[in-house]
Amino acid sequence: MPDNEEDNFCKKMRKTTREIHAISDALVNAKLAFGFMDDKVWADGLLVFYEVFRYLEGAMLRLKNTKVGQLRIEGLQRTEAFEKDLEFYLGKGWMKNYTPRESVARYLMRLREVEDTDPLLLMAYIYHLYMGLLSGGIILRKKRALVQKISPFKDTLSGGNNLTDFGEYNIYELKRELRNTMNRIADTLDEETKNKLLEESKTVYMLNNEIIRSVKGAGTVIIKKIGYFFMALVFIIIVFFNFRQ
């Protein structure tokens, strides 16, 4: 079926989370967007989501013979890509002294609780996180690549983009398959379960917002960005007055 005929439940998920999703977008713009200018901020953004994606991919394997396992779409797996990027930014031994921060630990605690008590609700996390990566994550990567290309203050990045590189898999096809699979599964669920998924979708964004707030270094980048602006302004003024003379 075409997407517009088979998009009913996903539209409900989007509508239910519209308000809190807007908060997430604002946080991403305020935090992760500064990763355009600073690899440390970008790497910390990767780090807070690494454990979440790794858990969900493990859960899809553990629940491979259930409806949750049906969402394990070929080409979407990102754990290895996260680890390659984090190794690029943080060095080969980054995992030796790594401990998930408090907000990430709370997120993982919720995922374990859901898997133990009502595993079907994990589908809310899988759908929203992977759809977010396929949409917002790709946009962030393109903007970051553009800024790095034109920036006179740093060299062009030569790696660290595995997470948003899906190789031979078409991003739009992956999004369509994820939506269609979620909708097909929803058609087999009772109303109570669907309502629980809609409510859990709000929790997904609440937890996302917590870990995004914990991303470090954005304040330093803001100061640096302001500094770049004034440097450019001074340069323009000097050129202008020299031209006038």
Side-chain angles (χ1 to χ4, degrees):
M1 284 186 182
D3 285 345
N4 60 352
E5 293 180 16
E6 203 177 358
D7 207 10
N8 294 331
F9 188 69
C10 289
K11 283 182 178 178
K12 287 182 180 179
M13 294 177 84
R14 190 161 59 246
K15 185 177 180 180
T16 299
T17 58
R18 185 175 295 159
E19 187 174 334
I20 194 166
H21 193 171
I23 296 173
S24 291
D25 287 344
L27 282 170
V28 168
N29 287 332
K31 287 277 190 175
L32 300 188
F34 289 112
F36 300 161
M37 307 290 291
D38 195 309
D39 287 348
K40 291 181 180 178
V41 178
W42 186 258
D44 207 50
L46 296 176
L47 195 60
V48 296
F49 280 103
Y50 162 65
E51 292 284 0
V52 177
F53 277 86
R54 185 171 74 156
Y55 185 95
L56 292 175
E57 291 181 3
M60 282 186 274
L61 283 174
R62 290 189 292 273
L63 301 167
K64 61 182 179 180
N65 296 321
T66 72
K67 290 179 172 63
V68 176
Q70 293 176 35
L71 285 175
R72 190 176 185 274
I73 294 168
E74 185 178 354
L76 270 184
Q77 291 70 46
R78 297 288 92 191
T79 299
E80 185 178 346
F82 264 107
E83 291 172 353
K84 285 181 179 179
D85 285 351
L86 287 167
E87 183 175 304
F88 176 85
Y89 291 113
L90 304 179
K92 290 187 177 181
W94 72 272
M95 292 190 75
K96 291 181 181 178
N97 299 314
Y98 166 66
T99 302
R101 66 197 65 182
E102 186 178 341
S103 57
V104 176
R106 284 196 297 270
Y107 204 133
L108 296 176
M109 191 181 304
R110 176 58 184 169
L111 292 177
R112 293 188 192 101
E113 179 186 356
V114 169
E115 185 176 357
D116 289 342
T117 60
D118 199 348
L120 285 181
L121 297 185
L122 286 176
M123 292 190 294
Y125 294 87
I126 296 166
Y127 178 78
H128 289 296
L129 282 162
Y130 284 92
M131 192 60 75
L133 177 61
L134 290 167
S135 301
I138 301 303
I139 292 171
L140 283 177
R141 176 192 173 174
K142 288 179 179 178
K143 289 183 178 179
R144 175 172 160 79
L146 177 62
V147 169
Q148 289 175 330
K149 185 177 181 180
I150 66 176
S151 173
F153 301 103
K154 70 191 302 307
D155 296 331
T156 301
L157 190 65
S158 58
N161 285 317
N162 291 283
L163 179 63
T164 49
D165 183 356
F166 291 85
E168 63 186 31
Y169 296 95
N170 183 283
I171 291 171
Y172 301 102
E173 290 296 325
L174 288 171
K175 287 172 71 173
R176 182 181 294 114
E177 187 173 356
L178 181 57
R179 268 197 306 268
N180 290 346
T181 303
M182 187 69 235
N183 282 315
R184 282 196 297 270
I185 294 171
D187 285 342
T188 69
L189 302 175
D190 58 57
E191 287 303 313
E192 181 182 0
T193 302
K194 285 192 277 191
N195 287 333
K196 285 182 179 180
L197 275 168
L198 294 175
E199 285 303 309
E200 194 68 27
S201 293
K202 297 176 186 177
T203 303
V204 174
Y205 282 102
M206 288 174 58
L207 292 170
N208 286 351
N209 292 350
E210 280 191 32
I211 61 176
I212 292 171
R213 286 190 182 98
S214 75
V215 173
K216 302 170 185 174
T220 302
V221 179
I222 293 172
I223 295 170
K224 191 185 297 184
K225 193 172 183 181
I226 293 171
Y228 291 164
F229 171 77
F230 281 110
M231 287 170 64
L233 184 61
V234 169
F235 176 76
I236 291 170
I237 292 171
I238 291 171
V239 171
F240 175 76
F241 278 104
N242 286 338
F243 179 77
R244 289 283 301 272
Q245 294 173 359

